[in-house]
Amino acid sequence: MSQIQAPITQDVLTIPRKLPEGARNLVGLTRPQLRDALIEIGTPEKQAKMRVNQLWQWIYHWGVRDFALMTNLAKDFRAKLADNFVIDLPEIVSKNVSADGTRKYLVKIAGGHEVEVVYIPETDRGTLCVSSQVGCTLTCSFCHTGTQKLVRNLTPGEIVGQIMLVRDDLGEWPAPGTGTGENGPRLLSNIVLMGMGEPLYNFEGVRDAMKIAMDGEGIALSRRRITLSTSGVVPEIARAAEEIGCMLAVSFHATTDEVRNKLVPINKRWNIETLLDALREYPRLSNSERITFEYVMLKDVNDSDEDARRLVRLIKGIPAKINLIPFNEWPGSPYERSDWSRIEAFADIVHKAGYASPIRTPRGEDIMAACGQLKSATERARKSRAQIAAETGS
Ligand code: SAH
Ligand code: SF4
């Protein structure tokens, strides 16, 4: 029998870290960058590649933060590393646990800004929803993050750091010395770039972080377990296929340009047809099977049978799955969630046309951890409902 639990809020006390003056953080460096950093402190070029491998495993595979514990490195080399470098993660400011087990973390990054990270446990896997920016340049009218201005892009270290922090909290680092590779079922088994921000507007940061996440000697998650969600930054889609190669989700949300212009304003720059052309190329370029179309169900806006039929016609020929997301309301949001029967009728039409059309179960709603509800508490440049309506013409 399941027991109903009240949400728990917990302030996590982190010990203030004192970093050696001028020390460089190794977290988030690419392999070539790490190699150069080691050569700069006097590591002979011939040894550099092996040292990169060793450090990489300690940092990303076993989750060790103290150079002194890296026992396969010579003592004087460990001391030199400690003099010059740190292994530093963002700080967890608070953790909220929903009645359904979803965990929302507020994470503080350099400069005092905050981003949210959400861990969603399921029976056979656990998905981490990672943020790529503080705020967002785009202004999708149904999205809470969209009411917040972009503050800055996250660095690769801050992006991969979110994964590392949550692995700490889940107690999920393999014991030092145990082999690299997939290592059996994981609590944190999937990553979705569906937190705050538009990942393709922080291309290099996201790419370098995901390369670490996918590296067999690093976090070692297969590229099929990583999904990047974009609102439709068309020129970067082919590049994402070539340089990242993970799974792609697209925030589609409407079946006419008129409606999509209002919901996802980037559509005014790259419309549905242009977006679909780019998506058609993605599976071939990235060698991935299918694209996820995300479709937020907004009452009387985009949820009619006609919309469902148009959607099926539009995506014809693209290997796809359609994720129907019941709209998650946030304070002041200008839309309502479609009725359940409407969502099911919509799903049915899409399903009968031969596409998987799962309806996403809202998770973590009691702690405002659901999709699109994430917003930094530090940045309170909120727009009112009236302002949003004026801008979107809705
Ligand atoms: N910027 C990227 C990724 C972050 S948003 C993008 O737009 O794809 C992650 C997903 O949550 C997107 O599909 C977005 O459209 C959806 N979303 C945003 N606000 C939402 C809300 N209030 N309810 C349900 N889904 C929402
Ligand atoms: Fe930005 Fe995505 Fe929200 Fe649109 S839906 S405002 S792109 S985070």
Side-chain angles (χ1 to χ4, degrees), residues 114-283:
E114 289 166 354
V115 289
E116 292 181 342
V117 191
V118 177
Y119 172 72
I120 306 148
E122 286 167 273
T123 41
D124 55 345
R125 60 183 185 172
T127 302
L128 191 69
C129 183
V130 169
S131 290
S132 56
Q133 299 183 309
V134 187
C136 190
T137 44
L138 303 173
T139 53
C140 303
S141 51
F142 54 90
C143 172
H144 204 200
T145 310
T147 65
Q148 178 185 332
K149 289 205 177 89
L150 176 76
V151 177
R152 72 166 168 85
N153 280 339
L154 298 186
T155 64
E158 289 162 348
I159 299 172
V160 78
Q162 296 171 51
I163 307 167
M164 296 167 78
L165 283 175
V166 177
R167 291 202 94 190
D168 285 356
D169 190 51
L170 295 168
E172 206 191 16
W173 293 104
T178 46
T180 46
E182 284 256 354
N183 266 338
R186 304 250 196 122
L187 294 172
L188 196 171
S189 62
N190 292 66
I191 293 174
V192 292
L193 283 148
M194 294 186 188
M196 295 166 63
E198 168 49 58
L200 293 186
Y201 276 146
N202 180 11
F203 192 93
E204 284 85 6
V206 165
R207 177 196 58 201
D208 292 353
M210 290 309 112
K211 288 229 149 123
I212 295 172
M214 293 187 278
D215 191 307
E217 287 178 323
I219 311 277
L221 290 171
S222 120
R223 62 186 190 86
R224 292 181 199 285
R225 292 182 173 275
I226 298 180
T227 303
L228 184 154
S229 172
T230 180
S231 56
V233 184
V234 165
E236 303 290 359
I237 289 179
R239 196 174 160 215
E242 279 154 12
E243 296 182 31
I244 309 175
C246 62
M247 306 300 281
L248 186 71
V250 63
S251 293
F252 207 64
H253 305 323
T255 59
T256 63
D257 282 325
E258 195 195 348
V259 177
R260 197 163 190 272
N261 284 347
K262 288 179 187 165
L263 299 180
V264 191
I266 199 175
N267 195 69
K268 292 184 208 155
R269 182 113 187 248
W270 295 291
N271 66 12
I272 290 179
E273 196 189 333
T274 319
L275 175 59
L276 288 170
D277 285 344
L279 295 178
R280 270 189 201 98
E281 291 297 304
Y282 192 88

Side-chain angles (χ1 to χ4, degrees), residues 21 34 76 81 132 154 186 242 251 286 323:
E21 193 110 354
L34 181 55
D76 56 341
L81 290 171
S132 56
L154 298 186
R186 304 250 196 122
E242 279 154 12
S251 293
S286 66
N323 250 346

Side-chain angles (χ1 to χ4, degrees), residues 259-329:
V259 177
R260 197 163 190 272
N261 284 347
K262 288 179 187 165
L263 299 180
V264 191
I266 199 175
N267 195 69
K268 292 184 208 155
R269 182 113 187 248
W270 295 291
N271 66 12
I272 290 179
E273 196 189 333
T274 319
L275 175 59
L276 288 170
D277 285 344
L279 295 178
R280 270 189 201 98
E281 291 297 304
Y282 192 88
R284 186 179 56 79
L285 293 174
S286 66
N287 206 8
S288 62
E289 309 92 50
R290 58 182 180 176
I291 291 176
T292 301
F293 284 74
E294 295 161 281
Y295 199 95
V296 63
M297 298 299 293
L298 304 169
K299 191 174 193 161
D300 299 332
V301 175
N302 64 355
D303 62 352
S304 69
D305 285 353
E306 189 45 42
D307 279 306
R309 283 192 282 267
R310 236 187 334 252
L311 177 61
V312 168
R313 278 201 299 274
L314 282 170
I315 65 174
K316 195 160 184 252
I318 303 177
K321 163 175 122 179
I322 291 101
N323 250 346
L324 298 175
I325 317 174
F327 175 58
N328 291 307
E329 294 188 17

